[in-house]
Amino acid sequence: MSSLVFIFDIIFSCIITLIFLYRCGNYRRQHPVTTVAVFIAWFFSILIVFILPLDISLATYRDCLSHAPATVKPIINSSIENDSSSDVCPRPWSYVNPKSYIILWRLVYWTSQVLTWVILPLMQSFCETGEFSIKGKIRYAIKANLIFYGTLLLIFVILVIYVATKVKLNSSNFTATIVAASTTWGLFLLVLMLGYGLVQVPLNIYNHSRTAYTLAHTQFKLAQIFNEKINVEERLDSLVDDVTKFCMEIKTDDPLRRYLEQIVKIVPEQYMNRIKLTIDDFDNNRISITNRFTDSETEIQLIKLHERLKKYIHVHHRVQVLWRRTINEAFYLEDILNNEKHRNHEFIKQNPHPPSWLRQKLFDRHPTLEWYAYCLIRPWALRLLGVILGIISILVIWSEMTFFSTKPVLSIFAQCVNAARNHYSYFTIEVFCCLSIAYLCLCAYYTIFRIRVLDYFYLSLYHLTDENSLIFAATFLCRLTAPLSYNFLGMIHLDQAITNKTDREETIFTLTMGHLTAIPIVSIGFNFYFPMLIFLLSIGTYFRLGSRCLHLCGFEQFFDDDDVSSEYVDDGKDLMNRERRSYGEGDALSNTTTAAQRLDRRRVLEEKYGIKSASAMATNNYYRPNTVNSETRPLLASAGEASMNSSPKTTVRSGMYSILMEKEV
């Protein structure tokens, strides 16, 4: 039975990981190697939620055996136990041979370290490059990470020299130095993540109970998404123009032609007609463009074009899906807000979009039940959940600030675990620790999912996360796995390096990985007092100091008392009205906007917000002005499309065409 619990936790963690990976990514578009690496990283990060509590309950049992009467011999490394011990120390219902935990923790830790410091950075560079060959991708990945690995090696050498001056350096101390250095960096990240998540998670849940506030925030996001939609479509238009011009430049016998065909294959279907019509127009006028650059320069331009095109095709798809989901959410919140005022307790739908199949099954024939569910139960349930999670966050922050105090014990989590340990209530220990670690993981991982670095890293649960962002999240999760475990063990006073109580048995995790005492400067102060900064970060998050700084720097943030935010909200209302009027027609805003619509929108943005066109900000112009003969041949747009023909031996007027290559900021 005990082994079944251990196996069930592993299988359950695997299922949760698969669900999250399926919701975030798209396994059909991802490379299998990327899917496997990300799965392993995410799986180990979730596994600690269920396995560490079992290790803690086992430590309680082993501690009982070590303090049992002399007739009862403590058994640590064997599954065979003296029968007399069962009367003094009840055996945990989830008992597993400690050797299993030793193997598991070593596998989890060192696999995570290899992934986060070696494999995942290379894979991230491999995925983001525009190189066409596997060899070129690998070469780029190695070059791109040389500075990273060089800096990492320099820091590690300095740490080893520092440790060697303090203690005698041997294989054990060398391994402990690696663990201490990596975990310290992970603890630094963990403090930043928890300082944001512990406040933002309960606050967001509570704010969702305020329908008017949530609707205004959604309308604000709606205006931002539509602005991004226009910007991305302008950039994509410019890139498709570049592809078209390269199609007219590269000759049929040019070795770079196959690279160009790979670029054409990934062009979205709605843009393919433009390439065909442009080439047909050049064909009818017998015009061709020559490339005045060398092959190496042209190849570099093709690589950059391929890289940008891949990125903006994904961003374009993501923004379109986000637009549809956000507009549906806005209509849904508008219906709830309008129905909250109805006294007949019947839910009246005004959303032009059809509801989800679940809402149709549950509420189509029961409008009264829908009103009670969404207008009465939902707000109060969210308020209650937000308050409960807020109280838990306060307890976590208090325990983080006081976990080093052992006399008296000020950590609330340590008090709860000690009370359960005194009664040998293993099930209570496991459930309490599992829920506590799960909440810490929720707050830390929530922060990772909220990180957005321009258009490069974006995590979403609607199959919109690209490979680069999946690897980015996996790298962070790997670095947080061990620090989360160390931090929680310190909060419940199961780390002797913090409590200085050598008479209490520790977890197999701590016995296997060791204490963070290899680097003296870390063990003396950092691990004790740095978690206290969670309090300062939480205060800053509650008062939205970071958002206010971004707002002052020109990155618009939602504030319910801000004039600019009110303008964005009004803009979102106008977009909702336009979508309501255009729903079911050919010019619905959910589709790709036309050039005229983008021009009108750009004029509004420049007049209202001072936002300039993305294409107007492109700075690098590469001209192809010379007149020479060149030859073109049909290009394959996609696997199932017809070829595009063009004629050879045609000329062009000097200075007539140019390629605008965007300069990345």
Side-chain angles (χ1 to χ4, degrees):
M1 177 63 184
S2 58
S3 299
L4 292 178
V5 175
F6 185 79
I7 296 173
F8 174 79
D9 286 342
I10 294 177
I11 295 176
F12 188 64
S13 302
C14 180
I15 293 174
I16 294 177
T17 306
L18 288 174
I19 292 174
F20 272 100
L21 188 57
Y22 171 77
R23 289 295 307 275
C24 291
N26 190 331
Y27 66 92
R28 295 185 181 89
R29 297 181 180 179
Q30 296 164 197
H31 196 282
V33 177
T34 301
T35 303
V36 172
V38 173
F39 169 78
I40 294 174
W42 290 20
F43 170 64
F44 286 161
S45 301
I46 295 175
L47 186 63
I48 64 170
V49 176
F50 304 99
I51 299 300
L52 189 59
L54 303 183
D55 196 359
I56 293 172
S57 67
L58 179 62
T60 302
Y61 176 61
R62 292 171 46 245
D63 185 65
C64 177
L65 291 178
S66 64
H67 293 84
T71 56
V72 180
K73 296 181 180 180
I75 307 297
I76 296 179
N77 294 323
S78 175
S79 60
I80 302 175
E81 182 185 342
N82 194 320
D83 293 335
S84 62
S85 66
S86 60
D87 297 330
V88 180
C89 302
R91 187 174 180 175
W93 70 293
S94 58
Y95 179 84
V96 178
N97 190 329
K99 290 183 179 179
S100 302
Y101 289 102
I102 295 175
I103 296 172
L104 180 63
W105 288 130
R106 286 177 178 172
L107 178 65
V108 169
Y109 183 82
W110 292 112
T111 303
S112 299
Q113 294 304 303
V114 172
L115 282 173
T116 190
W117 298 111
V118 180
I119 297 178
L120 291 178
L122 290 173
M123 290 182 62
Q124 189 171 1
S125 301
F126 184 90
C127 292
E128 71 182 7
T129 182
E131 292 280 354
F132 298 97
S133 63
I134 300 296
K135 182 179 178 181
K137 290 177 181 289
I138 295 175
R139 183 173 60 249
Y140 172 83
I142 295 175
K143 289 182 179 179
N145 286 276
L146 282 179
I147 297 178
F148 170 73
Y149 288 126
T151 305
L152 197 66
L153 181 61
L154 178 62
I155 295 174
F156 181 71
V157 169
I158 294 174
L159 285 176
V160 170
I161 296 174
Y162 173 74
V163 172
T165 60
K166 300 295 182 179
V167 297
K168 183 179 179 181
L169 192 63
N170 50 32
S171 59
S172 177
N173 289 335
F174 184 78
T175 304
T177 302
I178 297 177
V179 174
S182 176
T183 306
T184 301
W185 171 244
L187 184 62
F188 172 79
L189 296 177
L190 178 63
V191 169
L192 297 180
M193 302 297 176
L194 288 179
Y196 178 84
L198 287 172
V199 175
Q200 205 62 36
V201 168
L203 196 60
N204 276 354
I205 292 176
Y206 184 85
N207 285 335
H208 273 77
S209 66
R210 303 161 56 194
T211 308
Y213 176 88
T214 307
L215 177 59
H217 192 193
T218 305
Q219 290 167 339
F220 176 86
K221 291 191 297 183
L222 203 61
Q224 285 188 319
I225 291 173
F226 192 72
N227 295 345
E228 184 181 4
K229 186 169 180 281
I230 296 297
N231 191 35
V232 170
E233 288 176 356
E234 287 180 347
R235 289 177 178 269
L236 200 54
D237 275 345
S238 177
L239 292 174
V240 172
D241 288 341
D242 295 344
V243 174
T244 303
K245 293 166 185 176
F246 271 116
C247 290
M248 306 309 302
E249 292 182 359
I250 299 179
K251 298 182 293 185
T252 184
D253 57 348
D254 196 316
L256 299 178
R257 189 72 175 189
R258 57 192 177 93
Y259 296 155
L260 183 58
E261 289 180 354
Q262 293 184 38
I263 295 176
V264 173
K265 287 180 181 179
I266 68 172
V267 173
E269 185 178 354
Q270 62 266 35
Y271 293 97
M272 284 307 306
N273 287 334
R274 182 193 306 177
I275 296 179
K276 292 180 181 179
L277 291 175
T278 304
I279 293 182
D280 289 342
D281 180 64
F282 275 79
D283 180 34
N284 295 333
N285 293 278
R286 301 186 64 81
I287 297 176
S288 179
I289 303 177
T290 186
N291 184 3
R292 69 180 178 88
F293 294 105
T294 63
D295 288 344
S296 60
E297 291 174 334
T298 304
E299 183 177 0
I300 293 174
Q301 292 176 11
L302 286 174
I303 291 172
K304 291 181 179 179
L305 178 61
H306 188 211
E307 179 181 333
R308 292 168 181 165
L309 189 61
K310 285 195 307 179
K311 183 183 76 171
Y312 282 108
I313 287 173
H314 174 78
V315 173
H316 180 250
H317 172 70
R318 185 193 73 209
V319 170
Q320 283 190 315
V321 175
L322 282 177
W323 166 260
R324 290 193 294 268
R325 298 193 67 90
T326 308
I327 196 71
N328 283 331
E329 182 184 359
F331 284 133
Y332 152 75
L333 291 170
E334 189 179 47
D335 279 351
I336 294 178
L337 185 62
N338 293 333
N339 281 277
E340 284 178 349
K341 304 173 184 178
H342 292 171
R343 296 183 178 180
N344 57 356
H345 296 177
E346 288 189 1
F347 199 91
I348 301 174
K349 301 182 181 67
Q350 296 177 340
N351 187 347
H353 298 166
S356 63
W357 67 271
L358 182 60
R359 291 187 66 184
Q360 290 178 359
K361 295 290 184 182
L362 294 177
F363 304 123
D364 263 6
R365 297 182 181 179
H366 306 88
T368 303
L369 179 61
E370 187 172 8
W371 187 92
Y372 278 101
Y374 286 98
C375 300
L376 183 63
I377 298 176
R378 174 186 169 274
W380 283 106
L382 290 175
R383 288 190 188 100
L384 180 61
L385 181 60
V387 171
I388 292 174
L389 294 183
I391 294 173
I392 296 175
S393 292
I394 293 174
L395 296 180
V396 171
I397 295 172
W398 170 260
S399 299
E400 291 282 3
M401 295 176 59
T402 60
F403 72 89
F404 60 87
S405 175
T406 56
K407 291 183 180 181
V409 177
L410 299 179
S411 172
I412 305 299
F413 288 83
Q415 291 278 17
C416 295
V417 172
N418 288 338
R421 285 169 62 96
N422 293 335
H423 295 85
Y424 301 105
S425 180
Y426 301 113
F427 182 77
T428 303
I429 292 174
E430 292 169 8
V431 172
F432 176 80
C433 292
C434 183
L435 294 177
S436 302
I437 299 172
Y439 186 67
L440 291 176
C441 290
L442 172 65
C443 295
Y445 299 167
Y446 171 84
T447 306
I448 295 176
F449 274 80
R450 291 296 299 270
I451 293 176
R452 181 178 177 183
V453 183
L454 301 178
D455 290 322
Y456 289 95
F457 305 118
Y458 188 94
L459 295 166
S460 173
L461 292 176
Y462 307 119
H463 308 287
L464 302 178
T465 309
D466 61 350
E467 291 181 313
N468 191 21
S469 299
L470 287 174
I471 297 173
F472 170 78
T475 303
F476 268 81
L477 292 180
C478 283
R479 294 175 186 175
L480 293 179
T481 302
L484 265 170
S485 302
Y486 275 107
N487 182 256
F488 183 74
L489 292 175
M491 286 174 58
I492 62 175
H493 292 179
L494 274 184
D495 190 343
Q496 291 182 1
I498 295 175
T499 61
N500 293 322
K501 293 182 178 180
T502 58
D503 59 336
R504 174 176 288 188
E505 291 291 332
E506 295 185 298
T507 59
I508 303 298
F509 174 84
T510 308
L511 293 176
T512 304
M513 305 314 306
H515 301 285
L516 302 182
T517 56
I519 305 176
I521 192 173
V522 173
S523 61
I524 293 174
F526 183 86
N527 292 328
F528 282 90
Y529 302 109
F530 191 72
M532 297 183 190
L533 292 179
I534 291 179
F535 174 73
L536 299 178
L537 293 172
S538 299
I539 293 296
T541 302
Y542 181 78
F543 290 103
R544 303 189 64 183
L545 299 182
S547 297
R548 297 183 189 278
C549 292
L550 291 175
H551 183 68
L552 293 176
C553 294
F555 297 94
E556 296 304 333
Q557 305 292 311
F558 178 71
F559 295 96
D560 50 2
D561 57 349
D562 182 67
D563 293 336
V564 177
S565 297
S566 299
E567 292 181 356
Y568 272 87
V569 171
D570 293 337
D571 202 3
K573 294 178 181 178
D574 294 338
L575 292 172
M576 289 178 63
N577 294 331
R578 289 175 58 187
E579 178 71 17
R580 193 187 302 275
R581 290 193 302 266
S582 62
Y583 179 72
E585 301 178 4
D587 60 342
L589 295 179
S590 296
N591 301 324
T592 303
T593 56
T594 62
Q597 289 174 331
R598 289 196 295 271
L599 184 61
D600 293 339
R601 180 65 180 176
R602 182 57 62 188
R603 188 180 298 111
V604 171
L605 293 178
E606 291 180 355
E607 294 176 354
K608 195 171 185 178
Y609 306 111
I611 301 176
K612 295 185 178 181
S613 170
S615 59
M617 292 188 292
T619 56
N620 293 338
N621 299 330
Y622 299 97
Y623 294 93
R624 280 133 171 93
N626 295 332
T627 303
V628 295
N629 294 334
S630 67
E631 193 173 56
T632 60
R633 67 170 174 82
L635 282 172
L636 299 179
S638 63
E641 290 200 21
S643 299
M644 298 174 290
N645 299 321
S646 59
S647 301
K649 296 183 180 180
T650 54
T651 58
V652 64
R653 291 187 296 271
S654 175
M656 186 174 180
Y657 300 98
S658 66
I659 291 181
L660 298 177
M661 301 296 290
E662 297 170 341
K663 181 178 180 181
E664 296 294 339
V665 179

Short mmCIF file of all heavy atoms in Angstrom, two decimals, residues 82-118:
data_model
loop_
_atom_site.label_atom_id
_atom_site.label_comp_id
_atom_site.label_asym_id
_atom_site.label_seq_id
_atom_site.Cartn_x
_atom_site.Cartn_y
_atom_site.Cartn_z
N ASN A 82 12.06 -3.75 13.16
CA ASN A 82 11.80 -4.53 14.36
C ASN A 82 10.32 -4.43 14.73
O ASN A 82 9.73 -3.36 14.72
CB ASN A 82 12.65 -3.98 15.51
CG ASN A 82 12.69 -4.95 16.68
OD1 ASN A 82 11.70 -5.56 17.04
ND2 ASN A 82 13.87 -5.06 17.27
N ASP A 83 9.70 -5.55 15.05
CA ASP A 83 8.27 -5.57 15.32
C ASP A 83 7.91 -4.73 16.54
O ASP A 83 6.82 -4.16 16.61
CB ASP A 83 7.81 -7.02 15.54
CG ASP A 83 7.92 -7.85 14.28
OD1 ASP A 83 7.89 -7.25 13.20
OD2 ASP A 83 8.03 -9.09 14.39
N SER A 84 8.81 -4.63 17.50
CA SER A 84 8.50 -3.86 18.71
C SER A 84 8.41 -2.37 18.48
O SER A 84 7.86 -1.65 19.30
CB SER A 84 9.55 -4.15 19.78
OG SER A 84 10.82 -3.74 19.31
N SER A 85 8.96 -1.90 17.36
CA SER A 85 8.93 -0.47 17.08
C SER A 85 7.56 0.02 16.69
O SER A 85 7.27 1.21 16.80
CB SER A 85 9.93 -0.13 15.97
OG SER A 85 9.50 -0.72 14.76
N SER A 86 6.71 -0.86 16.20
CA SER A 86 5.38 -0.44 15.75
C SER A 86 4.53 0.06 16.91
O SER A 86 3.62 0.86 16.72
CB SER A 86 4.68 -1.59 15.04
OG SER A 86 4.55 -2.69 15.92
N ASP A 87 4.80 -0.41 18.13
CA ASP A 87 4.02 0.04 19.28
C ASP A 87 4.46 1.43 19.72
O ASP A 87 3.63 2.26 20.10
CB ASP A 87 4.18 -0.94 20.44
CG ASP A 87 3.63 -2.32 20.09
OD1 ASP A 87 2.68 -2.38 19.27
OD2 ASP A 87 4.17 -3.32 20.61
N VAL A 88 5.76 1.71 19.67
CA VAL A 88 6.28 3.00 20.11
C VAL A 88 6.15 4.04 19.01
O VAL A 88 5.71 5.17 19.24
CB VAL A 88 7.74 2.86 20.55
CG1 VAL A 88 8.29 4.21 21.01
CG2 VAL A 88 7.86 1.82 21.65
N CYS A 89 6.54 3.68 17.80
CA CYS A 89 6.55 4.59 16.66
C CYS A 89 5.66 4.01 15.55
O CYS A 89 6.10 3.09 14.84
CB CYS A 89 7.96 4.80 16.13
SG CYS A 89 9.10 5.45 17.39
N PRO A 90 4.46 4.50 15.43
CA PRO A 90 3.60 4.00 14.35
C PRO A 90 4.21 4.29 12.99
O PRO A 90 4.74 5.37 12.74
CB PRO A 90 2.29 4.76 14.56
CG PRO A 90 2.66 5.97 15.35
CD PRO A 90 3.81 5.56 16.21
N ARG A 91 4.12 3.31 12.12
CA ARG A 91 4.73 3.43 10.80
C ARG A 91 3.85 4.27 9.87
O ARG A 91 2.62 4.10 9.87
CB ARG A 91 4.92 2.04 10.21
CG ARG A 91 5.68 2.01 8.91
CD ARG A 91 5.94 0.57 8.52
NE ARG A 91 6.67 0.46 7.29
CZ ARG A 91 7.11 -0.69 6.78
NH1 ARG A 91 6.87 -1.82 7.44
NH2 ARG A 91 7.79 -0.71 5.65
N PRO A 92 4.43 5.18 9.10
CA PRO A 92 3.61 5.99 8.17
C PRO A 92 2.90 5.11 7.15
O PRO A 92 3.44 4.11 6.69
CB PRO A 92 4.65 6.90 7.50
CG PRO A 92 5.83 6.89 8.39
CD PRO A 92 5.85 5.55 9.04
N TRP A 93 1.70 5.54 6.83
CA TRP A 93 0.92 4.80 5.84
C TRP A 93 1.55 4.89 4.45
O TRP A 93 1.29 4.06 3.59
CB TRP A 93 -0.50 5.35 5.79
CG TRP A 93 -0.59 6.73 5.20
CD1 TRP A 93 -0.08 7.88 5.72
CD2 TRP A 93 -1.18 7.08 3.95
NE1 TRP A 93 -0.32 8.94 4.89
CE2 TRP A 93 -1.01 8.48 3.80
CE3 TRP A 93 -1.85 6.38 2.97
CZ2 TRP A 93 -1.48 9.17 2.69
CZ3 TRP A 93 -2.33 7.07 1.87
CH2 TRP A 93 -2.14 8.45 1.73
N SER A 94 2.41 5.91 4.24
CA SER A 94 3.06 6.11 2.94
C SER A 94 4.53 5.72 2.99
O SER A 94 5.33 6.22 2.19
CB SER A 94 2.93 7.57 2.51
OG SER A 94 3.50 8.42 3.50
N TYR A 95 4.91 4.84 3.93
CA TYR A 95 6.32 4.51 4.12
C TYR A 95 6.90 3.84 2.87
O TYR A 95 6.30 2.95 2.28
CB TYR A 95 6.47 3.56 5.31
CG TYR A 95 7.91 3.15 5.56
CD1 TYR A 95 8.76 3.95 6.30
CD2 TYR A 95 8.40 1.96 5.03
CE1 TYR A 95 10.07 3.58 6.53
CE2 TYR A 95 9.71 1.57 5.26
CZ TYR A 95 10.54 2.39 6.00
OH TYR A 95 11.84 2.02 6.22
N VAL A 96 8.08 4.33 2.47
CA VAL A 96 8.83 3.77 1.36
C VAL A 96 10.28 3.67 1.80
O VAL A 96 10.77 4.49 2.60
CB VAL A 96 8.71 4.63 0.09
CG1 VAL A 96 9.54 4.06 -1.05
CG2 VAL A 96 7.26 4.74 -0.36
N ASN A 97 10.98 2.69 1.31
CA ASN A 97 12.40 2.53 1.63
C ASN A 97 13.14 3.84 1.37
O ASN A 97 13.04 4.41 0.28
CB ASN A 97 12.98 1.42 0.75
CG ASN A 97 14.38 1.03 1.20
OD1 ASN A 97 15.14 1.84 1.72
ND2 ASN A 97 14.71 -0.24 1.01
N PRO A 98 13.88 4.35 2.35
CA PRO A 98 14.61 5.62 2.16
C PRO A 98 15.54 5.62 0.96
O PRO A 98 15.84 6.70 0.40
CB PRO A 98 15.39 5.77 3.47
CG PRO A 98 14.59 5.02 4.47
CD PRO A 98 14.00 3.87 3.73
N LYS A 99 16.02 4.46 0.52
CA LYS A 99 16.89 4.42 -0.65
C LYS A 99 16.17 4.94 -1.90
O LYS A 99 16.79 5.51 -2.79
CB LYS A 99 17.38 3.00 -0.89
CG LYS A 99 18.38 2.50 0.15
CD LYS A 99 18.87 1.11 -0.20
CE LYS A 99 19.90 0.62 0.83
NZ LYS A 99 20.37 -0.75 0.51
N SER A 100 14.85 4.73 -1.94
CA SER A 100 14.08 5.23 -3.08
C SER A 100 14.12 6.75 -3.14
O SER A 100 14.24 7.34 -4.22
CB SER A 100 12.63 4.74 -2.98
OG SER A 100 12.57 3.33 -2.95
N TYR A 101 14.03 7.40 -1.97
CA TYR A 101 14.10 8.86 -1.94
C TYR A 101 15.50 9.35 -2.32
O TYR A 101 15.63 10.39 -2.99
CB TYR A 101 13.73 9.37 -0.55
CG TYR A 101 12.28 9.22 -0.21
CD1 TYR A 101 11.85 8.19 0.62
CD2 TYR A 101 11.33 10.11 -0.70
CE1 TYR A 101 10.52 8.05 0.95
CE2 TYR A 101 9.99 9.97 -0.38
CZ TYR A 101 9.59 8.94 0.45
OH TYR A 101 8.26 8.80 0.76
N ILE A 102 16.53 8.63 -1.89
CA ILE A 102 17.90 9.04 -2.23
C ILE A 102 18.08 9.04 -3.75
O ILE A 102 18.60 10.00 -4.34
CB ILE A 102 18.92 8.10 -1.56
CG1 ILE A 102 18.85 8.24 -0.04
CG2 ILE A 102 20.34 8.40 -2.05
CD1 ILE A 102 19.73 7.26 0.71
N ILE A 103 17.64 7.97 -4.39
CA ILE A 103 17.75 7.88 -5.86
C ILE A 103 16.92 8.96 -6.53
O ILE A 103 17.38 9.62 -7.47
CB ILE A 103 17.32 6.47 -6.33
CG1 ILE A 103 18.27 5.41 -5.77
CG2 ILE A 103 17.29 6.41 -7.85
CD1 ILE A 103 17.82 3.99 -6.03
N LEU A 104 15.70 9.15 -6.03
CA LEU A 104 14.80 10.12 -6.66
C LEU A 104 15.34 11.54 -6.53
O LEU A 104 15.36 12.29 -7.52
CB LEU A 104 13.42 10.03 -6.01
CG LEU A 104 12.37 11.01 -6.56
CD1 LEU A 104 12.09 10.72 -8.02
CD2 LEU A 104 11.10 10.95 -5.74
N TRP A 105 15.78 11.94 -5.33
CA TRP A 105 16.26 13.31 -5.15
C TRP A 105 17.52 13.59 -5.96
O TRP A 105 17.67 14.70 -6.51
CB TRP A 105 16.52 13.59 -3.68
CG TRP A 105 15.28 13.72 -2.84
CD1 TRP A 105 15.00 13.09 -1.67
CD2 TRP A 105 14.14 14.56 -3.12
NE1 TRP A 105 13.77 13.46 -1.20
CE2 TRP A 105 13.22 14.37 -2.06
CE3 TRP A 105 13.82 15.42 -4.15
CZ2 TRP A 105 12.00 15.02 -2.01
CZ3 TRP A 105 12.58 16.08 -4.10
CH2 TRP A 105 11.70 15.87 -3.05
N ARG A 106 18.41 12.63 -6.05
CA ARG A 106 19.60 12.83 -6.89
C ARG A 106 19.21 12.97 -8.36
O ARG A 106 19.76 13.81 -9.08
CB ARG A 106 20.56 11.66 -6.70
CG ARG A 106 21.31 11.69 -5.37
CD ARG A 106 22.19 10.47 -5.20
NE ARG A 106 22.95 10.54 -3.94
CZ ARG A 106 23.68 9.55 -3.47
NH1 ARG A 106 23.76 8.39 -4.13
NH2 ARG A 106 24.33 9.68 -2.32
N LEU A 107 18.27 12.14 -8.78
CA LEU A 107 17.82 12.23 -10.17
C LEU A 107 17.15 13.57 -10.45
O LEU A 107 17.45 14.22 -11.47
CB LEU A 107 16.84 11.08 -10.46
CG LEU A 107 16.22 11.04 -11.87
CD1 LEU A 107 17.31 10.79 -12.91
CD2 LEU A 107 15.15 9.96 -11.94
N VAL A 108 16.29 14.01 -9.55
CA VAL A 108 15.58 15.28 -9.74
C VAL A 108 16.55 16.45 -9.75
O VAL A 108 16.52 17.31 -10.65
CB VAL A 108 14.51 15.46 -8.64
CG1 VAL A 108 13.95 16.89 -8.67
CG2 VAL A 108 13.38 14.47 -8.83
N TYR A 109 17.45 16.49 -8.76
CA TYR A 109 18.32 17.65 -8.64
C TYR A 109 19.31 17.75 -9.79
O TYR A 109 19.40 18.80 -10.45
CB TYR A 109 19.07 17.61 -7.31
CG TYR A 109 19.93 18.84 -7.11
CD1 TYR A 109 19.38 20.02 -6.62
CD2 TYR A 109 21.28 18.83 -7.43
CE1 TYR A 109 20.15 21.15 -6.46
CE2 TYR A 109 22.05 19.96 -7.26
CZ TYR A 109 21.49 21.11 -6.78
OH TYR A 109 22.26 22.24 -6.63
N TRP A 110 20.05 16.70 -10.05
CA TRP A 110 21.11 16.80 -11.05
C TRP A 110 20.56 16.85 -12.47
O TRP A 110 21.16 17.51 -13.34
CB TRP A 110 22.09 15.64 -10.89
CG TRP A 110 22.87 15.74 -9.61
CD1 TRP A 110 22.78 14.93 -8.53
CD2 TRP A 110 23.82 16.76 -9.28
NE1 TRP A 110 23.62 15.37 -7.53
CE2 TRP A 110 24.28 16.49 -7.97
CE3 TRP A 110 24.34 17.86 -9.96
CZ2 TRP A 110 25.22 17.29 -7.33
CZ3 TRP A 110 25.28 18.66 -9.31
CH2 TRP A 110 25.71 18.36 -8.03
N THR A 111 19.43 16.22 -12.71
CA THR A 111 18.80 16.38 -14.02
C THR A 111 18.35 17.81 -14.23
O THR A 111 18.52 18.39 -15.31
CB THR A 111 17.60 15.42 -14.17
OG1 THR A 111 18.04 14.08 -13.96
CG2 THR A 111 16.98 15.54 -15.55
N SER A 112 17.77 18.40 -13.19
CA SER A 112 17.33 19.80 -13.28
C SER A 112 18.52 20.73 -13.51
O SER A 112 18.43 21.70 -14.29
CB SER A 112 16.57 20.20 -12.01
OG SER A 112 15.42 19.43 -11.84
N GLN A 113 19.63 20.46 -12.85
CA GLN A 113 20.80 21.32 -13.01
C GLN A 113 21.38 21.22 -14.42
O GLN A 113 21.76 22.23 -15.02
CB GLN A 113 21.86 20.94 -11.97
CG GLN A 113 21.46 21.20 -10.53
CD GLN A 113 21.07 22.66 -10.32
OE1 GLN A 113 21.84 23.57 -10.58
NE2 GLN A 113 19.85 22.87 -9.85
N VAL A 114 21.47 20.01 -14.94
CA VAL A 114 21.99 19.84 -16.30
C VAL A 114 21.06 20.51 -17.31
O VAL A 114 21.51 21.16 -18.26
CB VAL A 114 22.16 18.34 -16.62
CG1 VAL A 114 22.50 18.14 -18.10
CG2 VAL A 114 23.25 17.73 -15.75
N LEU A 115 19.75 20.39 -17.08
CA LEU A 115 18.80 21.01 -17.99
C LEU A 115 18.91 22.53 -17.96
O LEU A 115 18.99 23.18 -19.01
CB LEU A 115 17.37 20.59 -17.63
CG LEU A 115 16.93 19.20 -18.07
CD1 LEU A 115 15.56 18.87 -17.49
CD2 LEU A 115 16.88 19.10 -19.59
N THR A 116 18.91 23.11 -16.75
CA THR A 116 18.82 24.56 -16.65
C THR A 116 20.11 25.28 -17.02
O THR A 116 20.06 26.43 -17.49
CB THR A 116 18.39 24.97 -15.23
OG1 THR A 116 18.08 26.37 -15.21
CG2 THR A 116 19.48 24.70 -14.22
N TRP A 117 21.28 24.62 -16.83
CA TRP A 117 22.54 25.31 -17.10
C TRP A 117 23.20 24.88 -18.40
O TRP A 117 24.09 25.60 -18.87
CB TRP A 117 23.51 25.08 -15.94
CG TRP A 117 23.03 25.62 -14.64
CD1 TRP A 117 22.64 24.91 -13.55
CD2 TRP A 117 22.87 27.00 -14.29
NE1 TRP A 117 22.25 25.75 -12.54
CE2 TRP A 117 22.39 27.05 -12.96
CE3 TRP A 117 23.08 28.20 -14.96
CZ2 TRP A 117 22.11 28.25 -12.30
CZ3 TRP A 117 22.81 29.39 -14.29
CH2 TRP A 117 22.33 29.40 -12.99
N VAL A 118 22.81 23.78 -18.98
CA VAL A 118 23.49 23.29 -20.18
C VAL A 118 22.52 23.10 -21.34
O VAL A 118 22.64 23.76 -22.38
CB VAL A 118 24.24 21.96 -19.89
CG1 VAL A 118 24.94 21.48 -21.15
CG2 VAL A 118 25.24 22.12 -18.76
#
